[in-house]
Amino acid sequence: MDRLLDSLFPTAEEIPEAYRLGAPLEQRDYLVNGQLHHWQGPLATVRSPVWLKDADGDEQQVILGSAPLLDADTALGALDAAVHAYDKGRGAWPTMRVAERIRHVEGFLGRMREQREAVVKLLMWEIGKNLKDAEKEFDRTCDYIVDTIGALKELDRRSSRFELEQDTLGQIRRAPLGVALCMGPYNYPLNETFTTLIPALIMGNTVVFKPAKFGVLLIRPLLEAFRDSFPAGVINVIYGRGRETVSALMASGKVDVFAFIGTNKAASDLKKLHPRPHRLRAALGLDAKNPGIVLPEVDLDNAVSEALTGALSFNGQRCTALKILFVHEQVVDAFLEKFQTRLAALKPGMPWTPGVGLTPLPEPGKIDYLNGLVDDALGHGARVLNPGGGQSRGSFFYPALLYPVNPAMRVYHEEQFGPLVPVVPYRDLQTVIDYVLDSDFGQQLSLFGTNSKEIGLLVDTFANQVGRININAQCQRGPDTFPFNGRKNSAEGTLSVHDALRTFSIRTLVATRFQDANKQLISDIIRNRESSFLTTDYIF
Ligand code: G3H
């Protein structure tokens, strides 16, 4: 392991030409009211999870550049631009015909695609995501936008007809809610942010967007595309410390929709600042401690393969990651042996290393936190089973397979959000059921087994506990047309391509008595195209 760690971080010359970065990027630009402003105030240093060896063999963390630390007043200025562009629902954007809003988003998508290479490179450097997954994140986000446009067209087609009920003629359309504040997480700084940002925009809301705490610079290549694709004030991009900027935005009471992916504590603290809670709609993706449950009758090879990627893809830094494994005592020895073999085959390296499976972690203090969890588990009787497990160098932490884990350990309860795999042996399934029932989280779980009676019963047991039950498969968000949500402290609201359009809008009904004069009036409005809302236009 020492040899592996010694050779982990490269020298600058060893980085393939295509993935090198030039001089540090001093990013001072932010977007407010259709203009890129150049921030003259303090900057935050942006560090990479990647360290490099210098000529003496010393390893130093790479400084990628800096990003603006806007103050509360500047953030409030961005909010005012969004409020103004919304103009109490009378602005050009919220009243625009759907087909035209779609054209703006399509224009943005075209410009965004041009930045693929720059964004993918920064995803690698800023959060340590490997090349394949960084490309996947970018492409999946573009696909999400395409699917969102398709879903809105479909929604609009269905709303283009009038309905007649009990002598009342009505047309029901979805209308925007107001100003949305969109904030994403550092593990999917592009994708997860855009899964709220794009639906919010396309439904006619105006937006203030603050990038995640890591993955900040990668938004820079998109600022011109945002500026040029939407009317002034419709999308505003700010930077800075959340407690300074976001707290001020929420306390102003001018945010109508709060789209946030992060911890439930941060979400609760921010929601509490809003002076009119009933006027705030929230779309939240929060903490999770998804269990994988391995039953005695099981296809072990599949269970191991899914549990390994479920627990360790992107170093376990996914909200959907399998964060604790309960394995029946009849199969636990075989499971652990196979798991170790598969784990040993994961390749550590830099994000651009071909075939790399384990990369450095972006969060400062994370290695200490993970070491603390391991020490605590060891102190309560667990062992690290895999050779080298838990060893670290700089920002890199080699995964630790912890066994046997029990309720006295912190890792049994805490969301590690990193490369730790706690395995709990069980005899009585009730202990596992109780874990799920008593958990503060309720995002997803995975069941691994082949006995239909047992799986059927467990599906019924857990259907009211989590948002998704995966059978013989790891937990995951996709496909993006499926609902993504959670119970308890894990989420508020449901996201998917279709659901997000509903989350960022409200149904509005225009109704009239079905009488000749009213029929004539409605016909005239439609024929003369006197309303954007009352229309039978059909978007192809
Ligand atoms: O971090 C949470 C993400 O929503 C997980 O998405 O399951 O596609 O990795 P994923």
Side-chain angles (χ1 to χ4, degrees):
M1 180 53 57
D2 282 347
R3 208 147 27 96
L4 189 150
L5 294 177
D6 284 346
S7 60
L8 182 76
F9 292 115
T11 63
E13 296 70 37
E14 284 167 343
I15 301 170
E17 186 85 40
Y19 308 120
R20 289 184 194 169
L21 283 182
L25 305 157
E26 192 184 274
Q27 206 297 82
R28 287 183 177 269
D29 302 330
Y30 61 102
L31 178 65
V32 171
N33 206 23
Q35 283 189 349
L36 286 181
H37 298 264
H38 203 64
W39 175 245
Q40 301 297 348
L43 299 171
T45 303
V46 181
R47 294 184 169 80
S48 174
V50 174
W51 293 43
L52 291 181
K53 272 197 191 72
D54 63 19
D56 301 327
D58 294 334
E59 289 163 354
Q60 307 286 347
Q61 186 167 19
V62 173
I63 305 286
L64 293 173
S66 47
L69 275 178
L70 301 187
D71 53 25
D73 282 348
T74 312
L76 286 167
L79 180 61
D80 281 343
V83 169
H84 183 73
Y86 192 69
D87 193 17
K88 298 191 168 111
R90 297 167 312 167
W93 186 249
T95 55
M96 195 175 276
R97 284 174 194 266
V98 171
E100 212 176 314
R101 277 208 299 264
I102 287 175
R103 271 195 287 281
H104 283 271
V105 174
E106 284 172 337
F108 172 76
L109 176 60
R111 294 281 300 273
M112 175 175 162
R113 288 190 198 277
E114 292 167 11
Q115 301 301 328
R116 182 177 189 267
E117 201 182 312
V119 174
V120 165
K121 198 196 270 194
L122 284 165
L123 270 168
M124 290 193 287
W125 278 99
E126 280 194 88
I127 59 164
K129 191 164 276 193
N130 70 39
L131 175 62
K132 193 164 138 257
D133 287 347
E135 288 177 334
K136 198 156 88 189
E137 176 163 355
F138 189 93
D139 296 337
R140 176 182 178 183
T141 307
C142 294
D143 291 345
Y144 190 93
I145 299 176
V146 171
D147 292 346
T148 297
I149 291 170
L152 178 56
K153 284 182 179 171
E154 180 56 34
L155 186 67
D156 196 74
R157 280 180 210 127
R158 271 186 270 125
S159 322
S160 66
R161 56 191 281 266
F162 280 78
E163 291 175 33
L164 184 58
E165 281 289 337
Q166 297 175 24
D167 215 28
T168 302
L169 181 70
Q171 192 180 37
I172 307 163
R173 281 190 185 283
R174 298 207 72 99
L177 294 164
V179 174
L181 170 61
C182 296
M183 296 167 69
Y186 80 78
N187 60 337
Y188 282 93
L190 184 77
N191 181 262
E192 289 233 309
T193 318
F194 277 45
T195 58
T196 60
L197 174 70
I198 296 295
L201 282 174
I202 209 165
M203 293 312 288
N205 303 280
T206 60
V207 171
V208 176
F209 158 37
K210 189 172 115 44
K213 61 180 171 177
F214 314 115
V216 175
L217 297 176
L218 62 87
I219 299 299
R220 177 64 191 86
L222 303 175
L223 287 188
E224 282 84 0
F226 276 129
R227 179 194 62 192
D228 300 342
S229 307
F230 298 98
V234 168
I235 168 82
N236 304 276
V237 185
I238 61 165
Y239 298 84
R241 293 195 188 92
R243 60 180 171 276
E244 190 140 347
T245 55
V246 180
S247 302
L249 301 186
M250 293 298 278
S252 75
K254 295 178 188 170
V255 172
D256 301 298
V257 197
F258 179 43
F260 175 82
I261 294 156
T263 66
N264 75 86
K265 176 165 184 338
S268 304
D269 290 350
L270 287 166
K271 274 180 79 175
K272 274 186 222 146
L273 293 174
H274 199 287
R276 304 183 188 107
H278 68 283
R279 281 173 60 166
L280 181 71
R281 184 180 291 191
L284 310 176
L286 307 170
D287 321 51
K289 183 82 179 170
N290 295 344
I293 302 164
V294 181
L295 298 163
E297 290 172 56
V298 64
D299 172 349
L300 258 193
D301 287 324
N302 175 67
V304 166
S305 163
E306 291 288 324
L308 185 89
T309 47
L312 290 175
S313 54
F314 193 35
N315 313 298
Q317 300 168 115
R318 293 161 59 229
C319 61
T320 47
L322 285 173
K323 301 205 175 90
I324 188 160
L325 301 175
F326 290 90
V327 185
H328 194 274
E329 60 180 20
Q330 277 173 23
V331 290
V332 72
D333 289 340
F335 178 89
L336 291 169
E337 199 183 314
K338 285 174 186 284
F339 195 95
Q340 279 188 73
T341 308
R342 296 291 304 270
L343 171 50
L346 290 180
K347 185 170 167 183
M350 295 300 102
W352 46 81
T353 309
V356 72
L358 302 166
T359 54
L361 312 177
E363 279 183 288
K366 190 63 181 246
I367 307 297
D368 289 346
Y369 171 72
L370 294 172
N371 278 328
L373 287 181
V374 172
D375 289 347
D376 171 77
L378 298 184
H380 287 93
R383 282 169 291 132
V384 174
L385 295 188
N386 57 318
Q391 288 195 34
S392 60
R393 174 70 65 89
S395 54
F396 180 84
F397 187 96
Y398 190 74
L401 178 61
L402 288 167
Y403 178 82
V405 165
N406 65 49
M409 301 172 189
R410 283 169 54 204
V411 75
Y412 187 87
H413 309 277
E414 287 178 35
E415 179 181 14
Q416 65 270 36
F417 212 78
L420 290 185
V421 188
V423 177
V424 186
Y426 73 91
R427 181 176 299 169
D428 181 0
L429 199 51
Q430 192 57 43
T431 56
V432 186
I433 293 172
D434 288 343
Y435 180 87
V436 176
L437 263 57
D438 295 339
S439 172
D440 257 349
F441 309 114
Q443 190 199 59
Q444 300 190 16
L445 56 79
S446 291
L447 298 174
F448 297 101
T450 50
N451 181 321
S452 59
K453 192 165 170 229
E454 203 164 20
I455 295 278
L457 267 172
L458 286 174
V459 166
D460 291 355
T461 306
F462 292 136
N464 295 345
Q465 305 302 322
V466 294
R468 172 166 167 165
I469 298 166
N470 302 278
I471 299 174
N472 292 323
Q474 61 162 307
C475 298
Q476 61 181 43
R477 176 176 178 146
D480 287 325
T481 43
F482 280 0
F484 179 52
N485 59 15
R487 292 168 178 264
K488 303 178 186 170
N489 279 350
S490 284
E492 182 172 339
T494 298
L495 290 177
S496 74
V497 168
H498 314 276
D499 288 296
L501 296 178
R502 288 161 180 80
T503 297
F504 290 95
S505 61
I506 184 167
R507 285 191 300 168
T508 302
L509 163 67
V510 177
T512 186
R513 286 209 193 289
F514 195 57
Q515 292 166 349
D516 285 346
N518 291 334
K519 281 193 268 179
Q520 188 58 49
L521 180 70
I522 300 287
S523 298
D524 288 348
I525 292 172
I526 291 169
R527 190 174 336 98
N528 301 333
R529 301 180 68 73
E530 286 159 338
S531 165
S532 308
F533 187 101
L534 276 181
T535 156
T536 50
D537 282 359
Y538 192 87
I539 307 178
F540 291 99

